[in-house]
Amino acid sequence: MDRLLLTLLCFAFFALCLYGMWRGWRRKARAQSVLVPPFPAVPADPGEVLLETRGQYVSTTVSGHWQERIVTRGAGMRGPAVLRLYDDGVEVDRAGAPSFWIPRDSVVRVGTAKGMAGKVMGTESLLVVTWRLGDVELDTGLRGDDLSVYPQWIEQVKGGAQV
């Protein structure tokens, strides 16, 4: 009987912890939805693909605060993604989550990083696009399957950056 009670108590504690994390995530999403405008939708006809790379969407964070993940509107979920560069912007096509558009004139800079929102590596293996959305500056990171294309991304996107 004591073992059953202890097992139920441990299960209840675990369930309470999960509930607390879920509530915290939702509270953070509500607070950010006021501060961060909705992400731009991908245009119906964005044009010709200039560059494409597949990989793992790591997250979008507040620029300069690599651990402050944006969780509102599904932006906080990691997953497989494809980054496509067009003349007018960058499409972030995420599997199982809404895709979004980074307008070319909103891009501040493109570079690499060692870590972002809980994903840390020993090398500069994240491709990070820093861009403006309203009054907020954001970093969007992708861990590409082929790291050798990063210099092409940096060079081609830099041409549209409004530094």
Side-chain angles (χ1 to χ4, degrees):
M1 186 66 169
D2 289 337
R3 180 171 255 170
L4 177 63
L5 185 60
L6 185 58
T7 302
L8 289 175
L9 188 62
C10 285
F11 179 75
F13 177 74
F14 180 71
L16 186 63
C17 288
L18 285 177
Y19 176 73
M21 288 187 298
W22 176 76
R23 292 247 332 187
W25 187 271
R26 289 186 36 97
R27 184 178 304 126
K28 186 173 184 176
R30 274 194 308 274
Q32 286 179 349
S33 67
V34 174
L35 301 173
V36 179
F39 287 9
V42 179
D45 183 23
E48 179 185 342
V49 177
L50 303 175
L51 198 56
E52 178 177 295
T53 190
R54 295 184 179 283
Q56 177 85 11
Y57 169 78
V58 176
S59 85
T60 296
T61 63
V62 174
S63 184
H65 302 278
W66 67 282
Q67 288 286 29
E68 194 173 329
R69 181 190 313 251
I70 302 296
V71 299
T72 187
R73 299 176 186 90
M77 300 302 207
R78 276 192 192 138
V82 179
L83 235 57
R84 293 184 188 94
L85 176 64
Y86 299 92
D87 282 330
D88 294 334
V90 178
E91 175 188 4
V92 182
D93 184 9
R94 302 180 299 151
S99 299
F100 62 92
W101 181 256
I102 301 173
R104 192 75 173 262
D105 58 356
S106 296
V107 174
V108 175
R109 67 186 160 276
V110 179
T112 59
K114 291 182 181 182
M116 172 181 269
K119 181 85 166 174
V120 180
M121 283 136 300
T123 60
E124 299 276 328
S125 54
L126 290 176
L127 181 65
V128 178
V129 178
T130 302
W131 57 294
R132 285 188 196 90
L133 180 62
D135 296 334
V136 182
E137 200 167 282
L138 304 172
D139 289 334
T140 296
L142 179 93
R143 168 68 162 94
D145 293 339
D146 181 10
L147 306 182
S148 67
V149 299
Y150 287 4
Q152 291 174 304
W153 274 92
I154 293 169
E155 188 58 38
Q156 288 196 30
V157 177
K158 190 188 332 175
Q162 304 293 312
V163 179

